Amino acid sequence: MPESQPTPPTFLVALRYWIKLGFISFGGPAGQISMMHRELVETRRWIDHKRFMDALNFCMLLPGPEAMQLATYLGWRMHGAKGGIAAGVMFVLPSMFILFALAWLAMVGGGFAWLDALFLGLMAAVIAIVAQAIWRIGKRALATPALWAVAAAAFTAIFAFNVSFVIIILTAAAIGVAGNRILPAMFPGTAGKHDGGKNTTPAAACELPPAPTATWKRSARIPATCLALWAAPVIAIALWLGWQSVPAQQGVFFSKAAMVTFGGAYAVLPYVAQQAVETHAWLTHPQMMTGLALAESTPGPLIMVLQYVGFVGAWQNPGELSPLAAATLGAAITTWVTFLPCFWFILLGGPHIERLGDMPRVSAALTALTAAVVGLILNLAVR
């Protein structure tokens, strides 16, 4: 007998899950995506598999942490703007405080041997979780030999030849469109299409209300609001401490970095390291690597390493402030300008995600993208 369709969660029920996720989201984007898929698609059935994968494909195209943006979209899809903001904030907030404390320990001379021991067993478990995610998502996404080939090519390109993440994603989309024209059976453009809100998985997911309609007013209001919120703290710090102060410079630099973080944290780290270590001399290479190790060992997105850079850089260049006050300001402004654009992209693009998936040519591109995502997640897991 098929399972009955669950009722949609209330905002408070969903909020409790987002808080929990913020504290257990270890394993980088691969582990975080697998956790959300297992809980939200398979166990709780709040979101169906097709919506989940359409959203993941969309988030993979955006600059910024894809797992955090995926959580933001899923929260928005269930409870509107307040749901999206709650999901995104709670995905980041626990790791922000944990990494702040660890950065402080690093600056006052704390050791980290205990931390390595603590997370040794956890990392082994995360590998198992990611492997399960690859199998679970892959067996649904790789429905034809051609899609298997796309996944294998994506993995080989990024793992063996270090091909740009963006190039792989764009190439996969182009292959999907062309393949749908030439070999539609190999690159289906209608597979997994919604049918009256029903799920394509054996157990039906919640019946969600229709997504908000994109209007010109809404499309103008969201960027204007986000840009104002984005710029106001940077300008305020500059007026207070001067544009040459380290926190003000960090606000400007990480605002630019937030717009070029395609491919996740590993793709942007060489750029950040070059600028923060060699150009601005905010911290040293060993300190940069310590921050990366701590970010990998704590919950939340790996891009949180940028908060560590902001903390250490301001601590070592405090100007008129005390080291701790400067470091707190540097960490706060770095985190703010890094993650605020994520809400802008999701709230603005959210209404278009499901419609894009229902267009045959675009759906074919997303089908190929999904196959490439399997290969990219495998790369993350192996690394």
Side-chain angles (χ1 to χ4, degrees), residues 351-372:
H352 303 284
I353 291 176
E354 292 177 20
R355 291 194 317 163
L356 289 175
D358 289 337
M359 298 177 183
R361 289 284 185 265
V362 176
S363 182
L366 292 178
T367 299
L369 272 175
T370 303

Side-chain angles (χ1 to χ4, degrees), residues 184-235:
M186 293 288 103
F187 296 90
T190 56
K193 199 172 178 181
H194 297 307
D195 183 12
K198 301 297 183 182
N199 190 13
T200 58
T201 56
C206 294
E207 181 98 30
L208 298 178
T213 303
T215 63
W216 286 109
K217 181 179 179 181
R218 184 181 186 278
S219 298
R221 184 178 69 250
I222 290 174
T225 302
C226 290
L227 282 171
L229 292 172
W230 197 359
V234 179
I235 295 173

